[in-house]
């Protein structure tokens, strides 16, 4: 197992804030919109340096999505910022018609995704957003794994022509990817090469997959770990190459098991190369109040759950 | 200096009304009522008031832009776009048919020149127009953004987010018109969900409100020119435009019954007999 270390923990939303600020410096067409959550989205640096390119919309997310769509006409690249719940479910029809169907170059940037926003509870903990967004034709869906990757992803989506959903979160987590990485949309990142089981993880679950990989190594299981930061378009080649080697797979996401990364992988496997798959995901449930760690444990998204899923996937493969 | 006389504009609007009826009749689907009601407005806008380029460019820099929020009145927009030179007139015959660029509701998806955003699901167009107006300001582009919404559509909440936003942010390069015909699918707006005093509402939100008769070519043209003169003065402009659904056809006028119904062969003949052919049917 390749050794991963970190010197600090940071929140992925701060990676977005840093990326947005840098994007603003690099391209004068970048504009940012926010629905009364500037501090939570870490947009302060952008606003300080580019006040004329920032639009405070107030608590009116539907209007924000429409304004963002309109701002693309004339060449602006709008980045919208609010919580994941209010970035997707609340404004699905606005995104569907005014952005996705209309092919608008809007970057929908969503913080506080998943359970790990913690104490606010289920009203704010959307676990359905990946599914909602990946079903929209032409929508790119990205869920980076740490601060550095989120910053790099924010810059990468600026260069991409078309609508993007960028999902990130609130808690501080280890920063373990390189600071000046090149982020390639749709390209999986090989975390660890292994031969016994493929572990595919996205977002906050990638570090947990690494921790699981270390535990599996102690058990003599050599796990291949892949960071799928881009859920759509899925790097099908990387997934197939890995499962052809290992013969079984575990998918890990801070999302409902319905509609997420796991189902995207299943669709690929069923049509191309069928192997046993286990899901580490929320089991068709809403969240609740609690600390992020408590919630991840209760909803079975801990490294120990990944280990158990890997063992089960291996045993199903071997029974065949 | 007018580009056309009022009489010339009325002739164009007459031909546009014929197009609307023939398009909807041909596929036995679509929305003739408010298309007829807004024919004068669209004609005034595209043939007289707006500075626009039929050699369509999505970004529309340096030209006025128009956004249709109540996308179901696509027949009137398609007719006016075609007759302004955005695409061949013959293409009107493809309306609502398979593989057409003239979808039931307007969209950018098939690349129809003149359309800059999809509409159909109601209540979204004003927000988009506001966004386009903001970009024009950022680009130092002095041209104007126009939009049209139905009145029944104002029951959608997103509109009021946009109505609140635009005055606060001094979006004064925007002229939003309301097709105030008092009708919607299930009946008169007064009975479905009353809009009450719209003028007072818009004024309370901080818009500069003007009223106009959208079925009087001289008046709507004058009103839009006046609206234009009000731009750049710190407030968005709202044109509360009274129209009659089905205007121009005696058995269609003033009722919601022709909101989304197509005329039969006989009804089409009766209707066309009342509307002068002035520029040749497509």
């Amino acid at each position: 197992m390749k050794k991963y270390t970190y010197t600090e923990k940071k929140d992925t939303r701060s990676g977005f804030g840093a990326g947005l600020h840098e994007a603003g410096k690099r391209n004068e067409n970048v504009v940012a919109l926010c629905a009364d959550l500037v501090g939570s989205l870490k947009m302060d640096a952008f606003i300080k340096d580019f006040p004329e390119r920032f639009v405070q919309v107030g608590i009116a997310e539907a209007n924000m999505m429409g304004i963002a769509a309109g701002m693309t006409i004339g060449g602006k690249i709008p980045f919208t910022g609010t919580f994941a719940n209010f970035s997707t479910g609340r404004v699905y029809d606005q995104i569907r018609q005014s952005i996705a169907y209309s092919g608008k170059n809007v970057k929908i940037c969503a913080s506080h995704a998943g359970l790990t926003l913690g104490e606010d509870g289920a009203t704010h903990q959307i676990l359905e957003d990946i599914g909602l967004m990946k079903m929209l034709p032409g929508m790119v869906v990205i869920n980076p794994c740490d601060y550095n990757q989120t910053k790099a992803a924010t810059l990468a989506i600026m260069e991409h022509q078309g609508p993007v959903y960028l999902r990130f979160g609130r808690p501080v987590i280890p920063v373990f990817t390189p600071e000046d990485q090149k982020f390639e949309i749709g390209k999986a990142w090989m975390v660890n090469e292994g031969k016994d089981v493929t572990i595919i993880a996205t977002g906050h679950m990638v570090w947990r997959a690494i921790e699981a990989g270390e535990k599996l190594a102690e058990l003599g299981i050599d796990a291949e770990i892949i960071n799928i930061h881009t859920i759509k378009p899925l790097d099908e080649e990387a997934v197939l190459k890995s499962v052809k080697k290992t013969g079984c797979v575990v998918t890990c996401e801070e999302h409902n098991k319905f509609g997420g990364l796991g189902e995207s992988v299943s669709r690929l496997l069923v049509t191309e190369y069928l192997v046993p798959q286990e899901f580490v995901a929320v089991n068709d449930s809403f969240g609740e109040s609690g600390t992020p760690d408590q919630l991840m444990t209760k909803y079975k998204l801990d490294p120990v759950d990944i280990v158990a899923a890997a063992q089960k996937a291996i045993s199903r493969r071997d029974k065949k | 200096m007018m580009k056309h006389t009022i009489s010339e504009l009325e002739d164009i609007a007459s031909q546009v009304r014929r197009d609307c009826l023939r398009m909807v009749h041909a596929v036995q689907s679509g929305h003739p009522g408010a298309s007829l009601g807004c024919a004068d407005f669209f004609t005034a806008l595209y043939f007289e008031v707006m500075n626009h380029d039929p050699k369509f460019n999505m970004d529309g820099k340096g030209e006025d832009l128009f956004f249709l929020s109540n996308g179901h009145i696509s027949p009137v927009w398609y007719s006016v776009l075609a007759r302004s030179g955005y695409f061949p007139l013959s293409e009107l015959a493809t309306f609502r048919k398979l593989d057409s660029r003239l979808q039931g509701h307007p969209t950018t998806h098939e690349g129809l020149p003149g359309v800059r955003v999809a509409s159909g699901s109601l209540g979204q167009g004003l927000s988009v127009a506001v966004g386009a107006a903001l970009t024009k300001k950022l680009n130092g582009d002095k041209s104007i953004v126009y939009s049209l919404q139905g009145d029944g559509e104002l029951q959608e909440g997103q509109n009021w987010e946009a109505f609140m936003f635009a005055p606060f942010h001094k979006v004064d390069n925007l002229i939003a018109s309301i097709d105030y015909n008092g009708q919607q699918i299930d009946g008169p707006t007064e009975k479905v969900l009353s809009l009450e005093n719209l003028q007072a509402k818009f004024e309370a939100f901080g818009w500069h409100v003007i009223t106009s008769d959208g079925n009087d070519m001289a008046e709507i043209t004058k009103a839009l020119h006046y609206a234009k003169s009000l731009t750049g003065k710190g407030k968005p402009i709202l044109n509360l435009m009274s129209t009659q659904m089905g205007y121009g056809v005696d058995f269609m006028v003033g009722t919601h019954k022709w909101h989304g119904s197509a005329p039969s062969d006989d009804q089409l003949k009766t209707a066309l007999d009342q509307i002068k052919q002035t520029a040749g049917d497509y």
Side-chain angles (χ1 to χ4, degrees):
Chain A
M1 176 76 192
K2 191 174 166 184
K3 187 72 190 160
Y4 282 90
T5 55
Y6 63 93
T7 52
E8 61 178 337
K9 288 184 170 188
K10 283 171 136 177
D11 46 357
T12 51
R13 59 181 167 149
S14 287
F16 163 71
L20 179 68
H21 186 215
E22 181 63 27
K25 286 188 213 165
R26 290 191 195 176
N27 189 334
E28 64 177 18
N29 281 323
V30 169
V31 295
L33 299 89
C34 189
D36 196 31
L37 285 169
V38 162
S40 295
L41 270 287
K42 305 293 179 188
M43 292 170 123
D44 312 80
F46 182 93
I47 295 166
K48 183 170 171 286
D49 282 356
F50 313 107
E52 73 291 351
R53 286 197 260 146
F54 171 70
V55 184
Q56 172 59 269
V57 182
I59 310 167
E61 294 83 5
N63 193 37
M64 178 167 73
M65 293 305 169
I67 290 174
M71 288 191 85
T72 64
I73 299 163
K76 297 302 168 204
I77 308 171
F79 285 65
T80 67
T82 182
F83 290 170
N85 188 23
F86 315 137
S87 294
T88 58
R90 187 177 182 93
V91 290
Y92 197 61
D93 192 43
Q94 284 76 19
I95 293 173
R96 180 177 181 273
Q97 175 172 288
S98 294
I99 296 175
Y101 183 44
S102 294
K104 295 305 182 203
N105 192 24
V106 176
K107 316 305 171 189
I108 301 162
C109 302
S111 185
H112 292 54
L115 293 168
T116 49
L117 79 87
E119 293 81 354
D120 278 346
T123 53
H124 288 51
Q125 290 161 338
I126 194 162
L127 298 166
E128 308 88 37
D129 55 325
I130 292 173
L132 286 169
M133 300 309 277
K134 80 176 188 181
M135 282 197 296
L136 291 170
M139 183 67 71
V140 168
V141 179
I142 297 174
N143 190 186
C145 68
D146 72 354
Y147 174 94
N148 286 339
Q149 194 166 77
T150 307
K151 183 179 176 186
T154 305
L155 289 164
I157 66 175
M158 173 183 74
E159 306 286 350
H160 174 83
Q161 179 66 35
V164 175
Y165 179 60
L166 181 66
R167 178 193 213 239
F168 43 89
R170 177 175 184 242
V172 292
I173 57 160
V175 181
F176 61 95
T177 70
E179 193 176 342
D180 291 317
Q181 63 191 284
K182 179 168 163 32
F183 187 94
E184 206 174 329
I185 293 171
K187 190 80 183 160
W189 185 56
M190 180 61 74
V191 178
N192 185 60
E193 289 189 31
K195 61 181 190 329
D196 297 331
V197 57
T198 300
I199 299 175
I200 294 174
T202 192
H204 293 150
M205 295 303 289
V206 177
W207 179 255
R208 286 162 184 265
I210 290 169
E211 291 182 319
E214 286 163 358
K215 288 193 172 67
L216 287 165
E218 288 166 20
L219 300 169
I221 296 169
D222 182 14
E224 176 142 305
I225 303 172
I226 300 173
N227 167 13
I228 293 284
H229 50 61
T230 308
I231 292 153
K232 184 186 176 185
L234 183 66
D235 189 343
E236 300 189 346
E237 196 184 329
V239 173
L240 288 171
K241 190 178 167 202
S242 180
V243 298
K244 281 175 183 171
K245 177 168 60 172
T246 63
C248 60
V249 62
V250 176
T251 52
C252 312
E253 58 196 310
E254 192 184 342
H255 188 271
N256 195 342
K257 68 180 180 182
F258 295 125
L261 168 66
E263 280 197 354
S264 286
V265 170
S266 295
R267 185 203 54 76
L268 173 67
L269 298 183
V270 165
T271 50
E272 298 290 336
Y273 190 84
L274 192 57
V275 300
Q277 178 182 358
E278 291 294 322
F279 290 72
V280 174
V282 175
N283 186 18
D284 196 25
S285 164
F286 292 104
E288 63 183 284
S289 292
T291 67
D293 284 345
Q294 286 172 335
L295 291 163
M296 295 296 266
T297 299
K298 177 165 178 176
Y299 289 85
K300 301 194 181 303
L301 300 177
D302 275 343
V304 62
D305 301 303
I306 301 172
V307 169
Q311 288 171 318
K312 191 172 173 195
I314 290 166
S315 110
R316 285 176 59 205
R317 176 199 65 199
D318 292 344
K319 268 186 209 155
K320 269 177 141 184
Chain B
M1 175 73 183
M2 296 266 291
K3 295 176 200 159
H4 296 275
T5 65
I6 296 301
S7 166
E8 286 168 349
L9 291 170
E10 284 170 344
D11 280 353
I12 296 168
S14 182
Q15 190 62 51
V16 166
R17 286 194 163 88
R18 288 181 69 91
D19 290 346
C20 294
L21 288 164
R22 295 178 68 245
M23 287 163 74
V24 171
H25 169 264
V27 283
Q28 285 296 296
S29 76
H31 299 77
S35 292
L36 294 172
C38 290
D40 305 303
F41 167 80
F42 274 87
T43 301
L45 202 58
Y46 274 81
F47 287 87
E48 187 61 39
V49 178
M50 279 207 307
N51 164 35
H52 64 106
D53 185 0
K55 288 193 294 294
F56 177 70
N57 175 283
M58 178 58 81
D59 281 337
K61 287 183 180 171
E63 61 174 315
D64 294 340
L65 307 179
F66 171 73
F67 293 93
L68 179 67
S69 188
N70 47 330
H72 57 274
I73 69 167
S74 55
V76 64
W77 195 18
Y78 293 157
S79 167
V80 166
L81 285 174
R83 290 188 180 276
S84 304
Y86 280 82
F87 52 84
L89 212 49
S90 58
E91 207 167 336
L92 294 178
T94 69
F95 174 60
R96 285 188 172 239
K97 290 181 177 166
L98 193 64
D99 298 328
S100 173
R101 298 195 293 181
L102 279 62
Q103 291 288 297
H105 294 80
T107 175
T108 59
H109 197 258
E110 277 70 32
L112 186 68
V115 180
R116 290 190 167 86
V117 75
S119 61
S121 177
L122 293 171
Q124 300 187 27
L126 184 61
S127 301
V128 178
V130 166
L134 290 177
T135 284
K136 284 210 177 290
K137 280 180 175 283
L138 281 170
N139 287 344
D141 178 343
K142 298 288 181 202
S143 44
I144 297 168
V145 176
Y146 293 84
S147 66
L148 178 68
Q149 292 165 277
D151 54 356
E153 183 184 7
L154 300 181
Q155 291 157 359
E156 293 280 7
Q158 183 183 346
N159 287 307
W160 301 94
E161 297 179 0
F163 284 134
M164 195 186 295
F165 178 97
F168 179 73
H169 286 271
K170 298 187 169 51
V171 186
D172 59 3
N173 53 346
L174 171 66
I175 299 172
S177 293
I178 308 292
D179 178 18
Y180 195 22
N181 61 25
Q183 307 288 339
Q184 58 190 110
I185 296 178
D186 281 353
T189 50
E190 276 190 12
K191 290 194 175 159
V192 176
L193 181 61
S194 178
L195 304 167
E196 300 298 332
N197 189 338
L198 274 184
Q199 182 167 352
K201 286 182 181 178
F202 295 134
E203 281 169 351
F205 273 69
W207 289 67
H208 189 126
V209 183
I210 63 170
T211 58
S212 61
D213 179 348
N215 292 134
D216 179 323
M217 187 60 81
E219 199 185 310
I220 188 60
T221 306
K222 199 174 142 195
L224 288 171
H225 278 303
Y226 176 55
K228 227 169 148 172
S229 76
L230 296 171
T231 57
K233 298 187 192 309
K235 281 187 175 190
I237 297 105
L238 192 127
N239 170 32
L240 188 56
M241 177 178 73
S242 298
T243 70
Q244 285 191 282
M245 197 178 260
Y247 188 83
V249 178
D250 59 5
F251 63 90
M252 290 183 167
V253 75
T255 168
H256 66 275
K257 295 199 175 68
W258 291 94
H259 166 86
S261 316
S264 67
D265 293 354
D266 287 346
Q267 285 167 330
L268 177 70
K269 189 176 178 311
T270 308
L272 291 180
D273 284 346
Q274 299 171 28
I275 304 171
K276 195 166 51 160
Q277 190 178 164
T278 54
D281 288 337
Y282 66 83

